[in-house]
Amino acid sequence: MIPKLVIANWKMAIDRASVSQFLNEWEASHIPSDVTALIAPPALFLSDIKDITGAALCAQDVSAHELGAHTGEISAQMLSEFNCSHGLVGHSERRLAWNESNALVAAKARRLEASGICPVICVGESKDVRDSGDAESVVAKQVLASAEGLVSAPVIAYEPIWAIGSGEAATPKIADSMHAAIKAALSARFDEPTSVLYGGSVNEANAGDFLACESIDGLLVGGASLKAASFTNICQSVGDRR
Ligand code: PGA
């Protein structure tokens, strides 16, 4: 069985004392063997969690540039030196607040791939698009444009914008159907199958329902990943699907 990928996206929502507390409370042995747990801390804290057992490291973002004169940026090479196995790109918070286009997201994903880091490309529709009934075709186009030029299939994180941080998760049925649409769109582009994660108001109560869906290969968890016990319980809910 391919392990489910469960990523903690700490965003900029945690301080150093809370990172220490997370590490103190983290019990690596409680992560099921059929789950790959990843933690995406603010880049400044990558070195604080580098020795964590039972979880791998994920970047929250990356520069589209190579090493050079780019003040404030963090390159894929640097992330690789800090042992990030995966890197998020195209989170809707960045697409919206920093006007990141699909082309820029694809450029960032290519930088990660070139440094041996698996890109996790975030996509998702707005409430208006969902209500219009076009969500699946809009997201399929976003996925293809954001994966432009990649050699291998990326991981995709489907995060409907209206579900992020709202407490209103998509239903497993909506997510399952969207994941199937995303996989179908990418099957013509890449030989290997694509893993698609669901994100948006995932919590301890609903994680098992998502992980039980055939086309949901894992979860991207924001708010509910900030405490070790809650994130661990979410990882453990993979067992609920059996
Ligand atoms: P949330 O965030 O779980 O707090 O909704 C998810 C994300 O934005 O990755």
Side-chain angles (χ1 to χ4, degrees), residues 7-11 88 91-93 122 157 159-161 163-169 198-203 220-226:
I7 307 180
N9 178 12
W10 286 351
K11 309 191 182 186
L88 305 180
H91 192 285
S92 64
E93 286 155 10
C122 305
E159 298 203 300
I161 296 168
I164 295 175
S166 66
E168 185 200 346
Y198 170 75
S201 295
V202 171
N203 56 39
L220 180 53
V221 190
S225 73
L226 293 165

Side-chain angles (χ1 to χ4, degrees), residues 26-213:
W26 175 252
E27 299 266 10
S29 57
H30 292 173
I31 301 301
S33 59
D34 51 359
V35 168
T36 300
L38 288 165
I39 298 180
L44 275 176
F45 299 148
L46 279 169
S47 62
D48 290 280
I49 66 163
K50 72 178 189 322
D51 295 326
I52 192 169
T53 49
L57 303 189
C58 179
Q60 289 187 13
D61 188 32
V62 65
S63 173
H65 302 285
E66 282 190 75
L67 284 186
H70 303 287
T71 303
E73 293 272 80
I74 293 175
S75 77
Q77 181 189 322
M78 294 169 183
L79 295 171
S80 148
E81 286 168 2
F82 275 81
N83 291 330
C84 289
S85 61
H86 292 69
L88 305 180
V89 287
H91 192 285
S92 64
E93 286 155 10
R94 298 206 61 84
R95 289 181 186 265
L96 294 172
W98 281 269
N99 277 326
E100 292 199 1
S101 63
N102 289 329
L104 178 62
V105 172
K108 291 181 170 194
R110 290 193 298 271
R111 284 280 175 232
L112 289 175
E113 184 176 66
S115 288
I117 299 172
C118 177
V120 180
I121 299 177
C122 305
V123 294
E125 81 285 358
S126 64
K127 183 86 179 112
D128 285 352
V129 170
R130 169 60 50 189
D131 291 345
S132 74
D134 290 336
E136 291 187 4
S137 63
V138 166
V139 169
K141 283 195 194 109
Q142 193 186 21
V143 162
L144 287 170
S146 301
E148 184 68 41
L150 289 176
V151 178
S152 307
V155 172
I156 302 293
Y158 167 55
E159 298 203 300
I161 296 168
W162 45 271
I164 295 175
S166 66
E168 185 200 346
T171 61
K173 192 161 170 258
I174 286 179
D176 199 28
S177 169
M178 178 64 85
H179 285 212
I182 291 171
K183 287 175 192 223
L186 287 175
S187 67
R189 216 358 219 97
F190 298 103
D191 294 337
E192 61 277 17
T194 309
S195 290
V196 184
L197 319 181
Y198 170 75
S201 295
V202 171
N203 56 39
E204 294 171 67
N206 63 20
D209 294 339
F210 287 113
L211 290 170
C213 295

